[in-house]
Protein backbone atom coordinates (compact mmCIF):
# COMPACT_ATOMS: atom_id res chain seq x y z
CA UNK A 1 0.00 0.00 0.00
CA UNK A 2 1.29 3.47 -0.87
CA UNK A 3 1.74 5.64 2.21
CA UNK A 4 2.24 9.38 1.90
CA UNK A 5 4.35 9.51 5.08
CA UNK A 6 6.87 7.10 3.50
CA UNK A 7 7.48 9.54 0.67
CA UNK A 8 7.22 12.94 2.34
CA UNK A 9 9.22 14.25 5.27
CA UNK A 10 7.21 14.50 8.50
CA UNK A 11 6.80 18.25 8.23
CA UNK A 12 5.52 18.02 4.67
CA UNK A 13 3.18 15.18 5.61
CA UNK A 14 1.74 17.25 8.45
CA UNK A 15 1.12 20.17 6.08
CA UNK A 16 -0.49 17.81 3.56
CA UNK A 17 -2.72 16.27 6.26
CA UNK A 18 -3.87 19.73 7.38
CA UNK A 19 -4.63 20.69 3.78
CA UNK A 20 -6.60 17.48 3.20
CA UNK A 21 -8.60 18.01 6.41
CA UNK A 22 -9.26 21.64 5.47
CA UNK A 23 -10.49 20.67 1.99
CA UNK A 24 -12.70 17.93 3.45
CA UNK A 25 -14.15 20.45 5.94
CA UNK A 26 -14.92 22.96 3.19
CA UNK A 27 -16.52 20.25 1.06
CA UNK A 28 -18.68 19.20 4.01
CA UNK A 29 -19.70 22.78 4.88
CA UNK A 30 -20.44 23.56 1.22
CA UNK A 31 -22.57 20.44 0.78
CA UNK A 32 -24.54 21.11 3.97
CA UNK A 33 -25.00 24.77 3.03
CA UNK A 34 -26.08 23.90 -0.50
CA UNK A 35 -28.69 21.45 0.72
CA UNK A 36 -30.07 23.68 3.47
CA UNK A 37 -30.11 27.03 1.67
CA UNK A 38 -31.45 27.25 -1.85
CA UNK A 39 -29.55 29.23 -4.50
CA UNK A 40 -26.46 29.57 -2.32
CA UNK A 41 -23.13 29.83 -4.10
CA UNK A 42 -20.32 29.07 -1.66
CA UNK A 43 -17.01 28.62 -3.42
CA UNK A 44 -13.98 29.32 -1.28
CA UNK A 45 -10.59 27.87 -0.43
CA UNK A 46 -9.08 28.90 2.87
CA UNK A 47 -5.35 28.74 3.48
CA UNK A 48 -3.03 29.40 6.41
CA UNK A 49 -5.72 28.65 8.98
CA UNK A 50 -4.21 27.33 12.22
CA UNK A 51 -5.23 23.80 13.14
CA UNK A 52 -6.89 24.92 16.39
CA UNK A 53 -9.61 26.71 14.38
CA UNK A 54 -11.27 23.40 13.53
CA UNK A 55 -13.98 23.25 10.86
CA UNK A 56 -16.07 26.35 10.17
CA UNK A 57 -19.80 26.54 10.85
CA UNK A 58 -22.11 28.09 8.26
CA UNK A 59 -24.66 30.57 9.66
CA UNK A 60 -27.15 33.08 8.32
CA UNK A 61 -27.64 36.08 10.60
CA UNK A 62 -31.15 36.44 12.07
CA UNK A 63 -30.53 39.43 14.39
CA UNK A 64 -27.63 41.53 15.65
CA UNK A 65 -27.03 43.29 18.97
CA UNK A 66 -24.01 45.04 20.46
CA UNK A 67 -22.75 44.44 23.97
CA UNK A 68 -19.71 46.31 25.38
CA UNK A 69 -17.96 46.45 21.99
CA UNK A 70 -18.84 42.87 21.11
CA UNK A 71 -21.24 41.88 18.35
CA UNK A 72 -23.83 39.34 19.45
CA UNK A 73 -25.22 37.57 16.39
CA UNK A 74 -28.37 35.47 16.64
CA UNK A 75 -28.28 32.61 14.15
CA UNK A 76 -30.17 29.40 13.44
CA UNK A 77 -33.35 30.62 15.08
CA UNK A 78 -31.92 31.29 18.52
CA UNK A 79 -28.24 30.43 18.95
CA UNK A 80 -26.09 33.42 19.91
CA UNK A 81 -22.53 33.73 18.62
CA UNK A 82 -20.39 36.51 20.08
CA UNK A 83 -17.94 38.23 17.73
CA UNK A 84 -15.51 39.85 20.13
CA UNK A 85 -14.07 43.30 19.55
CA UNK A 86 -10.82 42.01 21.09
CA UNK A 87 -8.46 40.77 18.31
CA UNK A 88 -6.92 38.31 20.79
CA UNK A 89 -10.31 36.55 20.98
CA UNK A 90 -11.73 36.95 17.45
CA UNK A 91 -9.41 37.37 14.49
CA UNK A 92 -10.18 40.30 12.13
CA UNK A 93 -13.28 39.67 10.01
CA UNK A 94 -12.48 38.97 6.35
CA UNK A 95 -13.92 37.89 3.00
CA UNK A 96 -12.90 34.50 1.52
CA UNK A 97 -10.15 36.32 -0.41
CA UNK A 98 -8.70 37.77 2.80
CA UNK A 99 -9.93 41.35 2.42
CA UNK A 100 -10.78 43.01 5.72
CA UNK A 101 -14.48 43.55 6.47
CA UNK A 102 -15.77 46.17 8.88
CA UNK A 103 -18.05 44.76 11.59
CA UNK A 104 -20.77 47.23 10.56
CA UNK A 105 -21.11 45.36 7.23
CA UNK A 106 -22.57 42.31 9.00
CA UNK A 107 -26.33 42.69 8.68
CA UNK A 108 -29.42 40.52 9.06
CA UNK A 109 -29.31 37.92 6.29
CA UNK A 110 -25.48 37.97 6.05
CA UNK A 111 -23.96 34.57 5.29
CA UNK A 112 -21.02 33.79 7.57
CA UNK A 113 -18.50 31.03 8.09
CA UNK A 114 -17.53 31.08 11.75
CA UNK A 115 -15.05 29.07 13.73
CA UNK A 116 -16.27 28.45 17.28
CA UNK A 117 -16.71 25.65 19.75
CA UNK A 118 -19.72 23.38 19.38
CA UNK A 119 -22.89 25.03 20.63
CA UNK A 120 -23.75 23.72 24.10
CA UNK A 121 -27.17 22.16 24.71
CA UNK A 122 -28.50 25.17 26.63
CA UNK A 123 -31.09 27.78 25.75
CA UNK A 124 -30.11 29.94 24.15
CA UNK A 125 -27.02 28.12 22.91
CA UNK A 126 -24.02 30.49 23.02
CA UNK A 127 -20.44 30.48 21.76
CA UNK A 128 -17.65 32.93 20.93
CA UNK A 129 -16.24 33.02 17.41
CA UNK A 130 -12.48 32.82 16.96
CA UNK A 131 -12.65 33.65 13.24
CA UNK A 132 -15.35 35.05 10.95
CA UNK A 133 -15.50 35.06 7.14
CA UNK A 134 -18.29 37.01 5.42
CA UNK A 135 -19.49 35.27 2.26
Amino acid sequence: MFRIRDVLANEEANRMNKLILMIMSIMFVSSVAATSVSALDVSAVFVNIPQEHMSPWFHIVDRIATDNGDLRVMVDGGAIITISGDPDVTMPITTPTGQSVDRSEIKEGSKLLMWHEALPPSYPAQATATRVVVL
Side-chain angles (χ1 to χ4, degrees), residues 101-114:
V101 173
D102 189 71
R103 296 158 50 103
S104 64
E105 293 183 40
I106 298 176
K107 307 277 187 213
E108 290 179 11
S110 292
K111 296 171 181 79
L112 308 175
L113 284 181
M114 292 198 273

Side-chain angles (χ1 to χ4, degrees), residues 50-123:
Q51 185 175 1
E52 63 269 12
H53 282 286
M54 302 175 296
S55 298
W57 298 73
F58 175 80
H59 297 291
I60 297 178
V61 177
D62 292 332
R63 290 192 327 207
I64 297 175
T66 56
D67 181 27
N68 295 329
D70 294 339
L71 218 73
R72 294 177 53 84
V73 180
M74 182 178 286
V75 297
D76 306 329
I80 298 171
I81 311 296
T82 300
I83 301 172
S84 177
D86 182 354
D88 291 334
V89 176
T90 303
M91 296 174 68
I93 302 166
T94 64
T95 64
T97 59
Q99 295 173 329
S100 183
V101 173
D102 189 71
R103 296 158 50 103
S104 64
E105 293 183 40
I106 298 176
K107 307 277 187 213
E108 290 179 11
S110 292
K111 296 171 181 79
L112 308 175
L113 284 181
M114 292 198 273
W115 284 257
H116 56 76
E117 296 294 326
L119 294 169
S122 62
Y123 188 80

